[in-house]
Amino acid sequence: MRNLKRATRRYGKHILALTVIIILFAFSRLPVLSATEREVMASRFEFTRFPLPEVVGKPYHQLRGVNPSLEHISGWISAVGAAVALNDLDGDGLDNDVCYVEPRNDQVIVAPIPGTGDRYTPFTLSPSDLPYDTATTAPMGCLPGDMNEDGVMDILVYYWGRTPVAFLGEARGSLFSLNRDNYQPQDIVSTGEKWYTNAATFSDLDGDGHHDLIIGNYFPDNAEIIDANSSRIEAMQDSMTRAYNGGNNRILLWQKDEQKVSYKDVEIFDNQIAHGWTLAVGTADLDGDLLPEIYFANDFGPDRLLHNQSKPGHLQFAKLQGEKGLTTPNSKVLGHDSFKGMGVDFGDINHDGLLDIYVSNIADEYALEESHFLFTSTGEYDRIEKGIAPYKDESESLGLARSGWGWETKFADLNNDGELEALQATGFRKGEVYRWPELQELALGNDQLLKVSKSWFKFRDGDDLSGHQHNPFFVRASDGRYPDFSQINLKAQSRDEK
């Protein structure tokens, strides 16, 4: 007995610590589907992979020309620009056309979706009649929308290095064969500034029946980021978690003009909202008043949810923030996060008739495992008037918190069973030299050094940051969680197989 007491005193702390570790490990393990349920769930889906149509043009490159002060991180600067949008561009009543940005040679390509017929020859959009320097400008995304309200779908292309351009479609009956001559480029603003736009969306913000335009910018306006001949020294973000020195986010209010597309730049945001390093913007009517709220997903600072209080011709928004609970980490509270917001979408994930918010961040194992967000609505909309966002993050309990370096995210009911699937585009730059240790060291450094580009580690062609990840495809299981089914029933058709 005496020996037992002595052993208990000697090893008691170790036993307690081991017990705590075992309990925490049990809680941290993700539930595992049975082989039977996985097979049944997988049988509901089947996909075929097609390469996007290409247009012969400039040769592919892995790096853009960049400002000499940023040349040592040219791999980082050159890693953005891939974008895609689906719509009915040829007027056949089907969303079977694609507009996408090919960042390897900075082409904006319009084409029929593969497998929908060769209705027209793929072509590129370029603002040839407008000021455009290919050495200092690069397209970042394309956004279909009827900007001049003539019943024909137009395409907005936004860039690094200039303001966005409206490519206005010309009507040729109810159905026409598309080519580049069907689109006339026009500047939507006449400032002549250099914007670094990473996100844009159309939405009727003031309820007047016309689609306004929300622009999310990244690097500061009039910077010279991709000018290889610049003599300026450019700064990076002034913090990994609270950066407010980015480009100016803008609302462009639609204006009636018989001669051209016209928008009014309305400056209504405070500095922290206006100058976040924005990578995504989404709108949805979250409270049922027929006015869309705005969600800005920011890379190096907290995301922003703005409650719409506008009236026709007059814009007004109020910032909403979530409330912290006893078990809620600070960064899992809406509006208080410090994660790398890169994509946002809305959907009713729990069938309560209220829209929830899905946000992609960085969630890399053994790196920055910040987690993604699934902000589910609590339905307490009366609290909105107090500035409280009625949402709580349930990403971990639903299985949507983890994947990788998450860019875009989308909800969709792909098999028409009434349940939303969740998709993500993940990964950063593919290479052979692992650079996560250097990024971790930079992220832990002093913010005063972070904005100085010379303090950044070398990141060029051949370096890797999360470059070998797959794109998740989350499907809801019987327990309510979303396991990843990205590798199931995929029929690949590569160029070598054609």
Side-chain angles (χ1 to χ4, degrees), residues 19-30:
T19 301
V20 171
I21 290 172
I22 293 173
I23 293 173
L24 291 176
F25 175 74
F27 276 110
S28 66
R29 291 190 65 191
L30 297 177

Side-chain angles (χ1 to χ4, degrees), residues 329-384:
N330 287 337
S331 279
K332 300 283 268 184
V333 179
L334 196 156
H336 291 273
D337 64 286
S338 59
F339 296 171
K340 312 304 175 287
M342 291 185 279
V344 60
D345 199 15
F346 306 88
D348 182 6
I349 203 75
N350 50 11
H351 304 289
D352 62 358
L354 305 173
L355 289 177
D356 310 303
I357 308 172
Y358 188 29
V359 181
S360 276
N361 299 298
I362 294 179
D364 262 315
E365 291 185 351
Y366 307 108
L368 289 180
E369 195 164 6
E370 298 172 322
S371 102
H372 311 300
F373 298 138
L374 196 289
F375 291 119
T376 59
S377 174
T378 66
E380 300 172 309
Y381 287 114
D382 56 318
R383 310 189 72 192
I384 287 179

Side-chain angles (χ1 to χ4, degrees), residues 69-81:
S69 67
L70 305 174
E71 195 279 331
H72 62 294
I73 54 171
S74 57
W76 186 284
I77 303 298
S78 302
V80 295

